[in-house]
Amino acid sequence: MSESSLTLWYDFPAEDWEKQALPIGNGRLGAMFFGGIEEERIQFNEETLYSGRPIPPDESAYQELPKIREYLAAGDYAAAQRHAEEVFLKRTSFGDASDFGSYQNFGDLYIAFEEQGEPGQYRRELDLSRAVGRVEYTCAGKTYTREYLCSYPDNVLAVRLACGEAQAITARVSLQPGQPGARTEYLPDGRIVASGTTGYLEFEAVAQIVCQGGRIQACGGYIEICNADSALILLTAATAYQSSAPSYIGKGCKAYNAQVLAGVQSKSWEAILNEHTADFGRLFGRVELRLGGEPEAVLPTNKRLERYAAGEKDTQLEALAFQYGRYLLISSSREGTLPANLQGIWNDSNTPQWGSMFCYNINLNMNYWPAETTNLAECHRPLIRFIDSLRLSGRRSAKCYFDAKGWFTAKKSDIWGYTQPYAAAVNGLFIGGAGWLCEDVWEYYSFSGDTEYLRDTAYPILKEAAEFYLDYLTENEDGFLVSSPSTSPENSFLADGKKQTVSDGCEMDHRIIEELFGNCIRCCGILGVDADFRARLEEAKGKLAPTRVSRRTGGIQEWYHDWKESDPEHRHLSPLYGVYPAQLITAEQPALMEAAKATLNSRGDESTGWSRAWKINLWARLLDGNRAHKVLRGMLAERFFGNLFSFHPPFQIDGNLGYTAGVAEMLLQSTYEGEIRLLPALPEEWRDGRVSGLQARGNFTVDIVWKDGRLTRAAIRGEPGAGGTIAYNGEERPFEMPGSGRFLFPR
Ligand code: FUC
């Protein structure tokens, strides 16, 4: 049994999927194991099992746009909203909403054990550093163990059943498909095959049972393992989905599964385990974090969390939750897979909340906030590939709905390339989707400095998004370029005493566009291309509506006009986009920093899981470590279940990943201009600590040690000759990386 500080553990089997079961995943396959004694349940997913199908756009919907703009110009917001929702979005939305896909439960694997008597010494755990789950208990003098993993190198879910004594494993294994109408067969060679179709998408799952000693036999509704010394269950699942328009289907899922199993079924458990832990450890082991000298808790994780929620200090639990976010990102987003969705890859329902889809007005974005800073750039690539693939339908949406060049996406997508505006304007008329996604595309470069990637992948995506906004922006009565019509996610304003959402410009859109144009301009400079386009961007950027400070509240105005928000504590922190994730409102503009603080104060410290995570990141950028920690503490205490899944509610992985990003942002920040800020928002509660392996923009890796709240030593690693500025405690000094590739601070 692992006793490391990187283990979640419990002294009881899970009953509740969301709050107690533990996740494993390899980016493609995900599973939640329960660890029941008489009956084990392993619920599993495969990342492409979605309902729905591709939905074609309405080619002439753009004709409705001028009318909405006319109403807005006349100040008739009610009429603008009516036309947007009752005409424009009706024509554009997905008609039959069931065509919009939601992520599906693939099924459950059950293992029923022979009655063994009274069990004792039960322990269920998840070792984050090895990505291996484990259950152990004793029964009638025998020690039973189960281990669970999802291997990326072998592309399977593997469960191993063992016992300290020979011939002690007798069990019945069955598979319950999550889809109605699926067929399950139990074959004499120890395979369980479940197959079917969603109506559009074909799928198949295959579990192969292999025994050492004893024997197996297929019965009507299960495979029986009799008197084995140990048993291995290997599971693969696949669908016909492939990431190519227009149909997005065509992959041979049966042949795929057969190939996966052929590659692994003759391998020993030890070989599978060793390759898996080595592969996972290569990514996970890059960052270590130690917070405070608190003694390591010997309590089960759920009890620890309960005590923490009751006010006890447990900085190592705060660090464990940080590493858990990294664990979840690696487990749900690996090269060649789809990005992590709203629940990463774990879902036990066919009607999950919000379809468990990809949302671009915070959720998918937040999922990837820790990718670069916590040294998991490889896990970022699935998102970038996905964004690249969205361009295809995004171009059609730009044309059909806005008569614009470039590519567009509104707030959400399934896996079927949905990029259209839809339904209620409050979220369906979000204009900033493509621009915000471009932030990730840019950040991958800003951390890696990979100019080949910038030229071949990033710049084309950014440029096309910028082309859309150049066409879309209109000039307002004050001569500013504004995003109109638009909505500020997902808040409403009070104009003429009425609640409205459709406006002629909001702060978030303008900052998303400013950041995008700025990054495009940087690309043109670095790559030495497109001088004319760059000049156009510079001119447009200069004319964008600036950040405005509200006369009413002293905070940042959410809309171009100084309207009152209908919900001043709204969970979305859209007007603060310029502070985080963008780098537009910084310490160089103290008045705007103060206004940002006023906005953040008025939003309060509570809210949904992801909203609190955003607040941690924002307070870190506003350089207030104690406040960031206060929000962090409240979030961990009130928005984490005992299995450390964060919840909105319900469980949403953005909370976990945003939390992890927030911790990193408190310890290290870096700018596009090459400044590295050490311990910029260190809270008093983290008096002593050390962190290693965090990434700074410009391709630097940073280790920091501190004591009594003061930095003792930082080591920065990077390419010899590279340089920038180091900022610590209000002081700045330039640095240049010596030939050794390691720079120490202070020297
Ligand atoms: C947006 C948010 C909700 C939730 C959903 C998935 O609609 O406003 O809070 O996170 O996405």
Side-chain angles (χ1 to χ4, degrees), residues 342 354 359 361 363 411 427 490 571-572 608 610 648 652 654:
L342 203 54
W354 295 296
C359 293
N361 70 2
N363 316 95
K411 180 204 151 167
N427 43 53
E490 298 172 13
R571 61 192 179 286
H572 283 265
T608 63
W610 63 254
H648 182 287
Q652 274 184 211
D654 44 20

Side-chain angles (χ1 to χ4, degrees), residues 72 77 425-426 429-432 472-473 476 481-493 501-514 544-548 556-563 574-578:
L72 289 171
Y77 296 99
V426 68
L429 193 53
F430 177 51
I431 297 301
Y472 184 68
L473 290 165
N476 76 0
L481 290 178
V482 291
S483 164
S484 167
S486 78
T487 57
S488 181
E490 298 172 13
N491 213 349
S492 328
F493 52 88
T501 55
V502 179
S503 86
D504 44 358
C506 64
E507 169 68 3
M508 179 183 240
D509 281 349
H510 301 150
R511 299 294 72 78
I512 286 176
I513 297 167
E514 183 180 352
L544 272 175
T547 300
R548 302 180 130 195
I556 298 207
Q557 263 177 229
E558 182 150 359
W559 295 273
Y560 183 78
H561 307 287
D562 195 1
W563 290 313
S574 314
L576 301 178
Y577 184 89

Side-chain angles (χ1 to χ4, degrees), residues 33-201:
F33 65 94
F34 286 66
I37 293 169
E38 270 129 46
E39 183 177 67
E40 170 65 89
R41 175 181 170 204
I42 300 161
Q43 184 276 328
F44 65 93
N45 293 99
E46 197 272 350
E47 62 167 358
T48 63
L49 187 63
Y50 276 69
S51 59
R53 62 187 75 216
I55 301 166
D58 178 328
E59 302 207 343
S60 57
Y62 67 91
Q63 290 167 355
E64 304 300 340
L65 211 55
K67 192 95 203 146
I68 305 172
R69 285 182 170 150
E70 258 170 50
Y71 286 130
L72 289 171
D76 191 345
Y77 296 99
Q81 173 136 354
R82 217 177 309 119
H83 199 76
E85 293 193 326
E86 288 170 20
V87 185
F88 180 62
L89 293 174
K90 274 270 160 44
R91 288 187 57 173
T92 64
S93 77
F94 38 78
D96 178 359
S98 66
D99 282 351
F100 193 89
S102 57
Y103 189 42
Q104 302 288 292
N105 171 24
F106 219 117
D108 290 273
L109 198 62
Y110 288 99
I111 314 172
F113 293 91
E114 218 179 33
E115 204 161 311
Q116 299 155 328
E118 198 50 35
Q121 293 176 298
Y122 181 90
R123 181 174 163 121
R124 174 170 62 98
E125 67 169 41
L126 179 62
D127 176 352
L128 304 186
S129 64
R130 298 165 65 238
V132 178
R134 188 176 164 106
V135 164
E136 189 171 301
Y137 58 91
T138 57
C139 224
K142 296 178 196 154
T143 303
Y144 291 89
T145 56
R146 296 179 210 154
E147 284 166 288
Y148 318 74
L149 59 85
C150 270
S151 162
Y152 181 69
D154 282 321
N155 204 3
V156 284
L157 161 68
V159 182
R160 149 120 160 155
L161 313 175
C163 180
E165 280 182 35
Q167 301 180 2
I169 307 289
T170 294
R172 293 173 172 185
V173 186
S174 60
L175 198 156
Q176 182 72 51
Q179 291 292 303
R183 220 169 86 102
T184 312
E185 294 166 278
Y186 294 87
L187 305 176
D189 63 358
R191 273 182 307 142
I192 309 176
V193 182
S195 57
T197 164
T198 62
Y200 185 69
L201 182 67

Side-chain angles (χ1 to χ4, degrees), residues 361-618:
N361 70 2
I362 180 62
N363 316 95
L364 182 66
N365 322 74
M366 182 176 278
N367 282 359
Y368 286 86
W369 285 356
E372 298 294 336
T373 52
T374 78
N375 216 334
L376 296 173
E378 292 90 335
C379 301
H380 206 175
R381 287 185 202 144
L383 176 63
I384 290 157
R385 224 175 62 150
F386 181 74
I387 297 169
D388 198 16
S389 78
L390 279 184
R391 270 200 294 167
L392 211 62
S393 71
R395 278 180 204 130
R396 288 187 79 191
S397 290
K399 185 95 206 94
C400 297
Y401 301 123
F402 305 102
D403 194 23
K405 283 208 290 290
W407 74 278
F408 169 87
T409 181
K411 180 204 151 167
K412 68 174 183 181
S413 186
D414 46 26
I415 57 171
W416 308 115
Y418 193 82
T419 51
Q420 306 165 35
Y422 63 91
V426 68
N427 43 53
L429 193 53
F430 177 51
I431 297 301
W436 196 342
L437 289 174
C438 282
E439 188 76 350
D440 278 276
V441 179
W442 162 257
E443 287 288 32
Y444 184 88
Y445 166 77
S446 86
F447 279 87
S448 65
D450 180 346
T451 43
E452 207 173 296
Y453 160 82
L454 190 72
R455 188 190 59 226
D456 299 341
T457 304
Y459 181 56
I461 301 174
L462 264 63
K463 182 177 176 185
E464 257 197 272
E467 280 171 339
F468 168 78
Y469 292 111
L470 282 173
D471 272 4
Y472 184 68
L473 290 165
T474 52
E475 195 167 316
N476 76 0
E477 64 280 10
D478 301 327
F480 290 120
L481 290 178
V482 291
S483 164
S484 167
S486 78
T487 57
S488 181
E490 298 172 13
N491 213 349
S492 328
F493 52 88
L494 298 169
D496 306 327
K498 282 194 224 94
K499 217 169 128 175
Q500 314 284 355
T501 55
V502 179
S503 86
D504 44 358
C506 64
E507 169 68 3
M508 179 183 240
D509 281 349
H510 301 150
R511 299 294 72 78
I512 286 176
I513 297 167
E514 183 180 352
E515 178 84 355
L516 171 67
F517 285 2
N519 290 337
C520 263
I521 292 166
R522 290 185 178 97
C523 291
C524 294
I526 298 161
L527 298 171
V529 295
D530 286 349
D532 292 347
F533 184 62
R534 177 183 175 160
R536 269 184 77 201
L537 289 173
E538 266 160 2
E539 196 195 329
K541 184 167 168 275
K543 281 179 73 179
L544 272 175
T547 300
R548 302 180 130 195
V549 176
S550 164
R551 292 227 178 113
R552 285 180 308 107
T553 64
I556 298 207
Q557 263 177 229
E558 182 150 359
W559 295 273
Y560 183 78
H561 307 287
D562 195 1
W563 290 313
K564 196 167 173 341
E565 310 92 331
S566 69
D567 178 2
E569 293 180 10
H570 199 274
R571 61 192 179 286
H572 283 265
L573 301 153
S574 314
L576 301 178
Y577 184 89
V579 179
Y580 187 100
Q583 300 191 12
L584 295 167
I585 298 178
T586 64
E588 273 97 68
Q589 299 121 301
L592 290 184
M593 289 277 275
E594 286 311 310
K597 284 181 192 167
T599 299
L600 205 42
N601 276 323
S602 68
R603 291 292 217 247
D605 289 345
E606 291 167 13
S607 196
T608 63
W610 63 254
S611 176
R612 297 189 198 215
W614 196 348
K615 288 170 187 171
I616 300 171
N617 285 278
L618 285 164

